[in-house]
Amino acid sequence: MNRILITGATGQLGSELTMALRKIHGGQQVLASGRSHPPPPALAESGPFVYLDVTDHRALTEVVSHHRINTIFHLAALLSAVAEAHPQLAWQVNMGGLTNVLEVARCHGCAVFFPSSIGAFGPTTPQDHTPQDTLQQPTTIYGITKLSGELLCNYYFHRFGVDCRGVRYPGLISYVARPGGGTTDYAVEIFHAARRGETYSCFLGPDSRLDMMYMPDAVRAAISLMEAESGPLVHRNGYNITAMNFSPGELAAAIRRHIPTFKIDYSIDPLRQAIANSWPHCVDDSVARREWGWQPHFSLEEMVTDMLAKLPRDRKKKGE
Ligand code: AKB
């Protein structure tokens, strides 16, 4: 892993994973890519950035061959809520992008990291302590692309020897780049509202419990899985991983321990609530712990303390 391409590098995970990989391997070794014009300054100044649409097979092939890439972190995808609003586009980007990446990886001998999600589960999956290997019947287009992606990555490994690895991420919480169009985005938005001194109007109900993870753990998970010895990796793709689980009501209470005046109210979005209701409350990540030593570092309390310390104090939207 020393000539790395990151697709979707300007996204919530990509912008921090790129910086972490550049710290380890050197800026020039890590090629960030995405569809932003211009790219965010932190990405543009710390190493190379190329405009890349992952649905363009020829462009992807040229980038991989020109830069002699040997590892691809393929993060470009539509998230759950925006995918549900545009199902055909979601299939085109999430599946079209992945099949292009896997084909290019097969032809150019690259390893591939593919982020799946708790969205790969559905309403028939056991909701508590969801096992690694269980019934997966997702009812969202996002979940269908994530489950298909896990299966396709395993197929490329067994059929063609492409070293594909991946995890099922829960909701990711971070203060650098905002998430775009996910069901768990409330867990980031709430901090921005709290920092502005505003009441947060939450689009999920107070008791919607979901798995979550703070970004430093999510970045470490991707890097450590890709660096792990291959031998013990039985599952390879779609590893359940988690760090904490909470409901909007519990997150608001945790923020209130730091900002006692913070208030939340609820204005439920039926689309995102239905998606959340179809996902597990908490997954069992013991297989990831056993096969490659996965271990989260941040609990709910630690994450809230760090988020509030690091999040830039936003200006009030109006009238400040
Ligand atoms: C989303 O909400 O779509 C993502 C996810 C859990 O996969 N954050």
Side-chain angles (χ1 to χ4, degrees):
M1 184 157 99
N2 55 14
R3 299 285 305 170
I4 298 168
L5 169 67
I6 304 184
T7 73
T10 59
Q12 189 196 13
L13 174 58
S15 39
E16 296 198 46
L17 182 61
T18 303
M19 300 307 280
L21 286 166
R22 283 180 174 168
K23 223 173 183 174
I24 297 169
H25 298 280
Q28 291 307 313
Q29 302 302 108
V30 181
L31 176 61
S33 73
R35 301 198 316 142
S36 292
H37 266 319
L43 286 188
E45 286 157 17
S46 59
F49 182 93
V50 67
Y51 177 91
L52 181 62
D53 173 352
V54 291
T55 64
D56 183 341
H57 186 271
R58 187 188 296 187
L60 182 63
T61 303
E62 273 170 21
V63 164
V64 165
S65 108
H66 180 75
H67 294 271
R68 292 176 290 109
I69 297 297
N70 61 23
T71 305
I72 305 173
F73 286 79
H74 175 47
L75 311 183
L78 264 57
L79 290 182
S80 56
V82 73
E84 212 46 43
H86 307 281
Q88 292 82 7
L89 181 66
W91 184 262
Q92 202 182 316
V93 174
N94 293 13
M95 289 315 296
L98 179 61
T99 48
N100 284 345
V101 164
L102 289 173
E103 264 307 286
V104 171
R106 179 175 75 81
C107 298
H108 293 264
C110 305
V112 175
F113 175 80
F114 171 68
S116 183
S117 156
I118 52 171
F121 297 116
T124 54
T125 300
Q127 280 195 313
D128 294 304
H129 310 292
T130 306
Q132 174 67 41
D133 301 309
T134 188
L135 199 53
Q136 285 181 266
Q137 296 178 317
T139 47
T140 63
I141 189 69
Y142 176 71
I144 292 167
T145 64
K146 289 299 181 186
L147 175 55
S148 307
E150 291 177 11
L151 296 171
L152 199 57
C153 285
N154 274 334
Y155 176 78
Y156 265 72
F157 172 68
H158 291 294
R159 179 81 169 79
F160 302 119
V162 178
D163 185 1
C164 304
R165 306 179 184 193
V167 298
R168 293 179 185 136
Y169 278 121
L172 300 183
I173 301 163
S174 62
Y175 54 86
V176 176
R178 300 275 195 117
T183 302
T184 56
D185 293 11
Y186 89 84
V188 175
E189 293 173 1
I190 193 171
F191 284 97
H192 289 268
R195 267 281 167 250
R196 287 195 298 263
E198 290 174 358
T199 298
Y200 178 61
S201 189
C202 186
F203 57 76
L204 294 185
D207 303 320
S208 297
R209 176 173 303 282
L210 292 169
D211 273 314
M212 299 278 175
M213 185 177 291
Y214 196 32
M215 189 55 82
D217 279 337
V219 165
R220 222 168 25 77
I223 295 174
S224 57
L225 176 57
M226 292 307 280
E227 285 177 346
E229 288 296 326
S230 181
L233 300 180
V234 177
H235 288 77
R236 303 195 71 89
N237 285 282
Y239 281 104
N240 283 0
I241 56 168
T242 186
M244 62 191 88
N245 66 81
F246 53 75
S247 64
E250 288 168 351
L251 179 55
I255 293 174
R256 227 173 278 123
R257 290 196 273 280
H258 297 257
I259 307 174
T261 52
F262 174 66
K263 286 198 182 63
I264 185 167
D265 62 27
Y266 297 91
S267 168
I268 292 171
D269 169 12
L271 175 79
R272 285 181 283 188
Q273 186 66 65
I275 296 174
N277 292 349
S278 77
W279 290 354
H281 299 148
C282 64
V283 302
D284 173 357
D285 61 3
S286 54
V287 170
R289 290 170 188 254
R290 195 173 62 236
E291 291 189 14
W292 49 280
W294 159 246
Q295 183 84 53
H297 289 174
F298 283 85
S299 65
L300 170 60
E301 267 323 309
E302 289 162 333
M303 176 276 288
V304 170
T305 304
D306 203 59
M307 273 296 278
L308 290 173
K310 303 267 175 60
L311 194 64
R313 282 170 190 270
D314 289 0
R315 307 252 302 270
K316 277 197 171 154
K317 273 184 200 154
K318 285 181 199 157
E320 195 171 72

